[in-house]
Amino acid sequence: MTKPIPDAPDLRAPQDIDAAWLTGLLQGAGVDAVVDSFTAKPVGSGQIGDSVRFALKYARAADGAPASIVGKFPSADPDSFNTGVMLGNYVREVQFYRQLSPTALVSTPYCYGTALDEASGRFVLMMEDLAPAEQGDQLKGVSLEQARLVVDEAAKLHGSHWGDEAIEDLAWVSGTRAAPSGAATPEMVAALWTAFRERYGERLEPDWVEVGERLSTRFAGFTQRGDGPRCLTHNDFRPDNMMFATPAGGKPVTVLDWQSVSFGTGAVDVGYFLAGALTPDQRRAAEPELLARYLEGLKALGVAGYRMDALKRDYAGGGLLLFLTAFFAAMVVKRTARGDDMFIQMLGSGAQHAIDHDALSTLA
């Protein structure tokens, strides 16, 4: 029987957290400690949520009390906050940790406690500090060995609830039969693509524009694409949402940011990741090995009847999702210089993956 995720003492903004609150959090998670003082500093580069590292000093602590923990909170930027609420991202992430992280098999941070107000979208998510592991970087990409590790984690996540009908009853998981219709309508997608073209036109290649025109006018076909086996998917499976070990230590890879968790086609996660995390030449050379590795990972978890031809068909959709995420997110979250570069990188690499795998031909 898995241990339930504990509740945080109450719901607070990061600036309102004090030593007594942190003591209650840790003790509620079974840590015998009393926090005397702490320092708090922003960490990470999230677009929709803000993360803060709390370095702890104790009045008393048993062995194993953490030197620091990381809290995640709603974005302080109004546009990003409204996007997180509109898309259900905040509720979805907290509920993932509460209900699915214990059985999802994928490597996630240990969670000390959560608090959530579904009506307002306010939340607290307090997790282990994964340092000296470091956050991945979409703009730098990953090594082939790191890509292998991520593919292994994808197989664990997807295999954990492969074809699990019970997931269909979870209304907070995107794509289930119980979930409400998505907030993204064809009209919204078309309008955001037009706005993206106007903002970034000088940075766009002709081939990318062609992909955008076809995808934005066939969004309904994209949402209906594929009828393959269903499983838990991350839906924003990229280096910025992962922590990787460094020479100083840390877990090999840990997957973060479960704001978009869905019940859908697992291979799309794999395509989404490889499209943006490797250069096109690296990806093309490594795809046969990595797709075979992913399939073997599924088989090791008891998944049967999923063949390479079906995997390749489903995998082709990953580049389209990466492209869509890039222009959609760019227009609904806080704009930054790094964000501009990241979204252009995602868009271009997603377009090239879609072209390489003739993904546009699958849109109705």
Side-chain angles (χ1 to χ4, degrees):
M1 187 172 180
T2 57
K3 182 179 178 181
I5 302 297
D7 292 331
D10 55 47
L11 182 58
R12 298 192 182 189
Q15 64 270 21
D16 297 325
I17 287 176
D18 56 24
W21 190 94
L22 290 167
T23 296
L25 174 84
L26 293 172
Q27 292 183 355
V31 179
D32 181 15
V34 175
V35 177
D36 178 65
S37 62
F38 64 93
T39 58
K41 293 183 179 180
V43 63
S45 57
Q47 291 286 328
I48 293 182
D50 293 341
S51 295
V52 177
R53 174 178 285 121
F54 297 87
L56 308 175
K57 292 184 179 180
Y58 292 105
R60 174 179 59 78
D63 290 344
S68 58
I69 57 178
V70 172
K72 189 168 183 180
F73 306 88
S75 176
D77 175 75
D79 289 339
S80 295
F81 174 79
N82 290 335
T83 295
V85 173
M86 174 188 71
L87 298 179
N89 291 336
Y90 298 150
V91 171
R92 198 173 295 116
E93 182 161 36
V94 172
Q95 295 290 35
F96 169 80
Y97 278 97
R98 287 177 171 176
Q99 298 187 39
L100 290 177
S101 64
T103 58
L105 300 182
V106 64
S107 177
T108 60
Y110 175 76
C111 184
Y112 289 98
T114 66
L116 171 68
D117 177 13
E118 293 196 29
S120 69
R122 294 174 61 235
F123 74 96
V124 173
L125 183 60
M126 303 298 291
M127 299 171 286
E128 69 175 305
D129 186 355
L130 296 165
E134 293 181 352
Q135 183 181 18
D137 188 333
Q138 186 74 34
L139 296 171
K140 294 180 180 178
V142 303
S143 68
L144 181 57
E145 182 54 36
Q146 288 173 324
R148 293 185 181 108
L149 294 172
V150 172
V151 165
D152 291 346
E153 292 302 314
K156 293 174 188 176
L157 170 64
H158 301 153
S160 70
H161 289 272
W162 188 270
D164 185 353
E165 282 292 311
I167 303 297
E168 293 280 13
D169 295 326
L170 300 178
W172 57 268
V173 177
S174 294
T176 64
R177 63 182 170 227
S181 299
T185 64
E187 294 77 17
M188 178 189 292
V189 168
L192 291 174
W193 168 245
T194 298
F196 183 91
R197 280 194 62 181
E198 291 174 354
R199 179 188 289 181
Y200 298 103
E202 293 182 355
R203 301 184 66 174
L204 305 183
E205 300 289 339
D207 285 351
W208 306 356
V209 173
E210 182 179 353
V211 171
E213 292 298 310
R214 293 185 63 184
L215 178 57
S216 64
T217 56
R218 294 170 173 80
F219 177 68
F222 173 76
T223 61
Q224 298 163 8
R225 182 185 182 278
D227 56 357
R230 289 162 65 75
C231 60
L232 284 182
T233 64
H234 185 278
N235 260 35
D236 195 15
F237 203 59
R238 56 190 180 85
D240 276 20
N241 292 335
M242 300 170 187
M243 299 286 287
F244 293 94
T246 66
K251 298 177 183 178
V253 61
T254 307
V255 183
L256 313 173
D257 290 310
W258 293 90
Q259 296 178 344
S260 301
V261 65
S262 182
F263 199 54
T265 305
V268 171
D269 271 349
V270 182
Y272 187 100
F273 173 77
L274 295 180
L278 300 175
T279 68
D281 285 345
Q282 289 173 324
R283 170 179 55 77
R284 294 180 190 115
E287 275 174 340
E289 173 203 341
L290 294 175
L291 292 183
R293 186 184 185 102
Y294 172 73
L295 201 57
E296 287 303 311
L298 290 178
K299 290 177 181 177
L301 291 171
V303 174
Y306 192 51
R307 301 173 61 89
M308 182 60 76
D309 56 346
L311 169 58
K312 288 181 177 179
R313 175 201 65 208
D314 297 337
Y315 169 81
L320 290 178
L321 181 60
L322 186 66
F323 188 102
L324 173 66
T325 300
F327 77 75
F328 190 102
M331 305 312 297
V332 297
V333 301
K334 176 178 65 176
R335 187 177 183 186
T336 66
R338 183 186 183 276
D340 283 353
D341 291 342
M342 182 184 73
F343 292 131
I344 291 296
Q345 189 274 348
M346 291 168 62
L347 190 99
S349 56
Q352 190 58 63
H353 184 278
I355 292 167
D356 287 353
H357 293 279
D358 194 25
L360 290 170
S361 68
T362 66
L363 302 181

